[in-house]
């Protein structure tokens, strides 16, 4: 149980889900993440061979494909919804990936939305051309309760490809953290004791310092 993932606590900070959810915004577009002055954590989940390679080498390689789009999520519970708390086939290994904050913000500056946004592109044709050329795709999806129910708050995920994916996988990773045991423990706690006993990585609202990025991704800055 706790002893199996206590070493992770040197790299990540954990808090009660109940305490965190009480202060998170209830709706709107917000980036919830664990971050400091230099870095930010994002999450991915992979099958054993890909995940273990990244853990052992501190970068992505081996069977990982750089010829497709790969999605990163700064919100832990969105990742848990997507992977079924590590139970879905091909998503058994949960990784916390520490990135340079400057690199993460540069991704936000490059995003093209997966859906036509008339505030950014005057026509669908203009947007389609931008999507075809984009290296960073953005989606705002419903955030989710630990039990899976969709929430009014929106969570961001970023799709990376091409040279940006190469940078992410080989140059910009500061740390690869194996969260698989922690996820399994918390999944068991959630099933047996409920959300009041659940711990998750400590996350707070993240706002890029560049106001143009805030405008571009249509981030909500009002807490509600």
């Amino acid at each position: 149980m706790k002893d199996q993932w206590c070493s992770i606590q040197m790299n990540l900070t954990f808090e009660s889900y109940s305490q965190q959810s009480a202060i998170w915004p209830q709706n709107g577009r917000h980036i919830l993440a664990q971050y400091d002055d230099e870095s930010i954590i994002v999450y991915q989940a992979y099958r054993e061979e890909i995940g273990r390679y990244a853990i052992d080498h501190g970068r992505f390689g081996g069977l990982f494909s750089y010829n497709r789009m790969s999605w990163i999520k700064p919100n832990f519970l969105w990742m848990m919804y997507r992977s079924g708390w590590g139970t879905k086939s091909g998503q058994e290994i949960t990784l916390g990936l520490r990135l340079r904050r400057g690199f993460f913000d540069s991704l936000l500056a490059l995003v093209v939305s997966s859906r036509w946004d008339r505030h950014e592109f005057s026509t669908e044709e203009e947007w389609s051309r931008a999507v075809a050329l984009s290296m960073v795709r953005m989606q705002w999806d419903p955030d989710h309760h630990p039990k899976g129910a969709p929430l009014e708050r929106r969570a961001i995920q970023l799709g990376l490809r091409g040279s940006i994916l190469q940078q992410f996988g080989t140059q910009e990773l500061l740390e690869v953290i194996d969260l698989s045991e922690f996820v399994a423990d918390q999944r068991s706690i959630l099933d047996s004791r409920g959300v009041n006993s659940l711990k998750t990585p400590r996350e707070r609202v993240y706002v890029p310092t560049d106001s143009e990025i805030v405008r571009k991704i249509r981030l909500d800055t009002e807490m509600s």
Side-chain angles (χ1 to χ4, degrees):
M1 299 295 285
K2 184 177 179 180
D3 290 343
Q4 294 176 321
W5 51 266
C6 61
S7 62
I8 297 173
Q9 293 180 312
M10 297 182 64
N11 304 311
L12 289 180
T13 302
F14 299 90
E15 277 186 354
S16 159
Y17 164 76
S18 297
Q19 291 177 333
Q20 294 192 77
S21 62
I23 62 174
W24 288 337
Q26 298 302 301
N27 51 51
R29 296 182 174 192
H30 298 277
I31 300 174
L32 294 179
Q34 183 162 149
Y35 59 92
D36 56 30
D37 290 343
E38 302 297 329
S39 66
I40 187 168
I41 301 292
V42 299
Y43 302 97
Q44 291 188 309
Y46 289 103
R47 69 181 188 269
E48 184 83 16
E49 299 89 342
I50 293 177
R52 291 299 168 199
Y53 184 100
I55 293 163
D56 292 342
H57 295 82
R59 60 182 175 82
F60 285 101
L63 297 178
F64 181 85
S65 175
Y66 283 101
N67 296 318
R68 55 185 296 181
M69 183 163 281
S70 185
W71 292 85
I72 60 174
K73 303 161 181 63
N75 181 315
F76 176 78
L77 285 175
W78 205 104
M79 184 71 260
M80 293 303 95
Y81 166 74
R82 182 67 181 84
S83 71
W85 285 88
T87 64
K88 291 185 179 179
S89 177
Q91 300 186 61
E92 298 87 356
I93 304 298
T94 302
L95 302 179
L97 305 165
R98 190 181 302 277
L99 302 177
R100 302 176 202 277
R101 270 185 66 169
F103 177 68
F104 183 77
D105 283 0
S106 75
L107 299 180
L108 297 177
L110 292 172
V111 298
V112 175
S113 177
S114 291
R115 298 182 179 89
W116 175 39
D117 184 346
R118 64 181 69 246
H119 295 87
E120 194 71 20
F121 299 99
S122 57
T123 66
E124 285 196 65
E125 290 74 19
E126 182 184 355
W127 165 74
S128 293
R129 289 193 294 271
V131 167
L133 296 172
S134 69
M135 296 287 187
V136 185
R137 199 79 53 82
M138 176 184 69
Q139 287 186 190
W140 285 105
D141 300 293
D143 204 347
H144 287 78
H145 184 274
K147 289 285 192 177
L151 305 175
E152 291 187 26
R153 182 178 61 243
R154 293 276 166 164
I156 198 170
Q157 62 170 330
L158 303 176
L160 315 180
R161 67 178 180 178
S163 61
I164 294 295
L165 182 59
Q166 286 278 352
Q167 290 178 46
F168 162 77
T170 61
Q171 300 172 31
E172 297 294 340
L173 283 177
L174 299 175
E175 186 178 16
V176 176
I177 305 168
D178 181 7
L179 285 169
S180 306
E181 292 291 341
F182 170 78
V183 167
D185 281 346
Q186 295 306 306
R187 181 178 70 240
S188 177
I189 288 170
L190 181 63
D191 290 342
S192 61
R193 292 155 53 188
V195 295
N196 289 335
S197 299
L198 182 68
K199 286 186 179 293
T200 59
R202 181 185 188 274
E203 294 179 354
R204 296 294 185 265
V205 172
Y206 179 79
V207 180
T209 56
D210 188 336
S211 60
E212 179 57 25
I213 292 176
V214 173
R215 182 207 64 79
K216 179 181 178 66
I217 66 176
R218 299 181 63 200
L219 199 65
D220 287 315
T221 55
E222 297 294 327
M223 298 286 285
S224 55

